[in-house]
Amino acid sequence: MPSTSLVLIEKIQAMSDERMTFIVATQCAVVRGERFLVIVRAHGIKDAPGAMVFPGGKVEVEDGPAEVLETAVRREVLEETGISVTSDLEYVRSLFYALDDGSPVVDTLFLGMYLEGEPHIADTDEVAEAIWMTADEILAHDKTPDWNRPDVLLVEALRRRRTRLRPC
């Protein structure tokens, strides 16, 4: 039986005879104390409307050339929520998936520490809410999609590890 990844690759390849390229996206689990910054995607948005997720978005050419993923994720968090993140981002994971229209996406997740700002929504067509929540609150929320739960568990484990390692 083929793995889930192989099935996904075959589906993506079958959609086009041309060589496919990935959309590159980033997300950031921004930590402030014991809480994470999450957004609720606007209901009119194309992909995952109404889902509670970490802020982020697509990498743009202007984000490069150096530290392109880190620059992109800091820009996206600031654009979506008005929150600034410190420069010491921690890489958490990368994966790929297909959007509803079949477009392949490489997605990276970072853990970032809150620097400054208060959550506000700049574009209500993209983001419905920006909220500080604990990992338990995110996991218990009915707007948290199943596919986001492993990421919440990962970043919570990293947050706890950072808290234990912090000098007194």
Side-chain angles (χ1 to χ4, degrees):
M1 181 170 152
S3 74
T4 305
S5 296
L6 290 177
V7 171
L8 181 58
I9 290 170
E10 289 171 3
K11 284 182 181 179
I12 291 170
Q13 288 174 337
M15 298 182 84
S16 173
D17 291 334
E18 296 178 26
R19 187 175 185 126
M20 298 292 290
T21 57
F22 287 93
I23 296 167
V24 180
T26 61
Q27 296 182 62
C28 190
V30 181
V31 174
R32 185 179 189 181
E34 294 183 1
R35 297 185 180 280
F36 294 95
L37 180 64
V38 291
I39 62 167
V40 176
R41 294 175 59 85
H43 286 286
I45 204 159
K46 182 178 173 184
D47 296 302
M52 182 174 284
V53 296
F54 297 118
K58 294 177 186 171
V59 175
E60 297 176 3
V61 172
E62 295 80 17
D63 294 325
E67 295 189 351
V68 64
L69 298 175
E70 294 85 347
T71 301
V73 80
R74 278 191 214 93
R75 175 188 50 75
E76 284 286 346
V77 170
L78 184 61
E79 284 178 2
E80 290 185 350
T81 68
I83 298 295
S84 295
V85 181
T86 62
S87 60
D88 61 336
L89 295 172
E90 182 175 352
Y91 170 85
V92 177
R93 62 105 186 108
S94 64
L95 54 81
F96 76 90
Y97 61 91
L99 296 174
D100 292 340
D101 68 2
S103 301
V105 177
V106 170
D107 182 68
T108 57
L109 175 63
F110 291 91
L111 180 66
M113 304 305 289
Y114 167 84
L115 180 62
E116 63 184 6
E118 289 302 320
H120 71 272
I121 310 306
D123 184 355
T124 56
D125 290 336
E126 190 173 333
V127 177
E129 293 180 77
I131 315 159
W132 290 104
M133 298 176 82
T134 66
D136 288 340
E137 290 169 335
I138 298 167
L139 292 168
H141 205 285
D142 62 346
K143 291 183 180 178
T144 303
D146 289 340
W147 48 261
N148 197 37
R149 294 176 189 283
D151 286 348
V152 174
L153 294 170
L154 271 172
V155 296
E156 174 61 3
L158 290 171
R159 184 199 66 77
R160 287 180 184 213
R161 182 192 58 149
R162 277 187 172 195
T163 302
R164 283 193 311 271
L165 296 177
R166 189 178 310 141
C168 298

